[in-house]
CSV table of all heavy atoms in Angstrom, one decimal:
chain,number,residue,atom,x,y,z
U,75,TRP,N,112.5,74.7,104.8
U,75,TRP,CA,113.0,73.5,105.4
U,75,TRP,C,112.3,72.2,105.1
U,75,TRP,O,112.9,71.2,104.9
U,75,TRP,CB,113.1,73.8,106.8
U,75,TRP,CG,113.8,72.6,107.6
U,75,TRP,CD1,115.1,72.4,107.7
U,75,TRP,CD2,113.0,71.6,108.4
U,75,TRP,NE1,115.3,71.2,108.5
U,75,TRP,CE2,114.1,70.8,108.9
U,75,TRP,CE3,111.7,71.4,108.7
U,75,TRP,CZ2,113.8,69.6,109.8
U,75,TRP,CZ3,111.5,70.3,109.5
U,75,TRP,CH2,112.5,69.5,110.0
U,264,PHE,N,111.6,71.8,115.1
U,264,PHE,CA,112.3,70.7,114.5
U,264,PHE,C,113.4,71.3,113.6
U,264,PHE,O,114.6,70.8,113.4
U,264,PHE,CB,111.4,69.9,113.5
U,264,PHE,CG,110.5,69.1,114.3
U,264,PHE,CD1,109.1,69.5,114.4
U,264,PHE,CD2,110.8,67.9,115.0
U,264,PHE,CE1,108.2,68.7,115.2
U,264,PHE,CE2,109.9,67.1,115.8
U,264,PHE,CZ,108.6,67.6,115.8
U,268,THR,N,116.6,70.8,116.6
U,268,THR,CA,117.0,69.4,116.4
U,268,THR,C,118.0,69.4,115.3
U,268,THR,O,118.0,70.3,114.4
U,268,THR,CB,115.8,68.5,116.2
U,268,THR,OG1,115.4,68.7,114.9
U,268,THR,CG2,114.7,68.7,117.2
U,269,SER,N,118.7,68.3,115.1
U,269,SER,CA,119.5,68.1,114.0
U,269,SER,C,118.8,67.4,112.9
U,269,SER,O,119.4,66.9,111.9
U,269,SER,CB,120.8,67.4,114.3
U,269,SER,OG,120.4,66.2,115.0
U,270,MET,N,117.5,67.2,113.0
U,270,MET,CA,116.7,66.5,112.1
U,270,MET,C,116.7,67.1,110.7
U,270,MET,O,116.6,68.3,110.6
U,270,MET,CB,115.3,66.4,112.6
U,270,MET,CG,114.4,65.1,112.4
U,270,MET,SD,112.8,65.4,113.0
U,270,MET,CE,112.8,64.4,114.3
U,271,THR,N,116.8,66.2,109.6
U,271,THR,CA,116.6,66.8,108.3
U,271,THR,C,115.2,66.7,107.9
U,271,THR,O,114.4,66.0,108.6
U,271,THR,CB,117.4,66.0,107.2
U,271,THR,OG1,116.8,64.6,107.2
U,271,THR,CG2,118.9,65.9,107.6
U,272,SER,N,114.8,67.4,106.8
U,272,SER,CA,113.4,67.3,106.5
U,272,SER,C,113.0,65.9,106.1
U,272,SER,O,111.9,65.5,106.3
U,272,SER,CB,113.0,68.3,105.4
U,272,SER,OG,113.7,68.2,104.3
U,273,SER,N,113.9,65.2,105.4
U,273,SER,CA,113.6,63.8,105.0
U,273,SER,C,113.4,62.9,106.3
U,273,SER,O,112.5,62.0,106.3
U,273,SER,CB,114.6,63.2,104.2
U,273,SER,OG,114.9,64.0,103.0
U,274,GLU,N,114.2,63.2,107.3
U,274,GLU,CA,113.9,62.5,108.5
U,274,GLU,C,112.6,62.8,109.1
U,274,GLU,O,111.8,62.0,109.6
U,274,GLU,CB,115.0,62.7,109.5
U,274,GLU,CG,116.3,62.0,109.2
U,274,GLU,CD,117.5,62.5,110.0
U,274,GLU,OE1,117.3,63.6,110.7
U,274,GLU,OE2,118.5,61.8,109.9
U,275,PHE,N,112.2,64.1,109.1
U,275,PHE,CA,111.0,64.5,109.6
U,275,PHE,C,109.8,63.9,108.8
U,275,PHE,O,108.9,63.3,109.4
U,275,PHE,CB,110.9,66.1,109.6
U,275,PHE,CG,109.6,66.7,109.8
U,275,PHE,CD1,109.3,66.9,111.2
U,275,PHE,CD2,108.6,66.9,108.8
U,275,PHE,CE1,108.0,67.4,111.6
U,275,PHE,CE2,107.3,67.4,109.2
U,275,PHE,CZ,107.1,67.7,110.6
U,276,TRP,N,109.8,64.0,107.5
U,276,TRP,CA,108.8,63.4,106.7
U,276,TRP,C,108.7,61.9,106.9
U,276,TRP,O,107.6,61.4,106.9
U,276,TRP,CB,109.0,63.7,105.2
U,276,TRP,CG,108.7,65.2,104.8
U,276,TRP,CD1,109.6,65.9,104.2
U,276,TRP,CD2,107.6,65.9,105.1
U,276,TRP,NE1,109.0,67.2,104.0
U,276,TRP,CE2,107.8,67.2,104.6
U,276,TRP,CE3,106.4,65.7,105.7
U,276,TRP,CZ2,106.9,68.3,104.6
U,276,TRP,CZ3,105.4,66.8,105.8
U,276,TRP,CH2,105.6,68.0,105.2
U,277,GLY,N,109.8,61.2,107.0
U,277,GLY,CA,109.8,59.8,107.1
U,277,GLY,C,109.2,59.5,108.5
U,277,GLY,O,108.3,58.4,108.5
U,291,PRO,N,114.1,57.8,106.5
U,291,PRO,CA,114.0,59.1,105.9
U,291,PRO,C,113.4,59.0,104.5
U,291,PRO,O,113.7,58.0,103.8
U,291,PRO,CB,115.3,59.7,105.8
U,291,PRO,CG,116.2,58.9,106.8
U,291,PRO,CD,115.6,57.5,106.8
U,292,PHE,N,112.4,59.9,104.2
U,292,PHE,CA,111.9,59.9,102.8
U,292,PHE,C,111.8,61.4,102.5
U,292,PHE,O,111.4,62.2,103.1
U,292,PHE,CB,110.5,59.3,102.9
U,292,PHE,CG,110.4,57.8,102.9
U,292,PHE,CD1,109.9,57.2,104.0
U,292,PHE,CD2,110.6,57.1,101.8
U,292,PHE,CE1,109.7,55.9,104.1
U,292,PHE,CE2,110.5,55.8,101.8
U,292,PHE,CZ,110.1,55.1,102.9
Side-chain angles (χ1 to χ4, degrees):
W75 181 76
F264 292 102
T268 74
S269 53
M270 216 185 249
T271 63
S272 64
S273 296
E274 284 165 347
F275 174 83
W276 287 125
F292 280 111

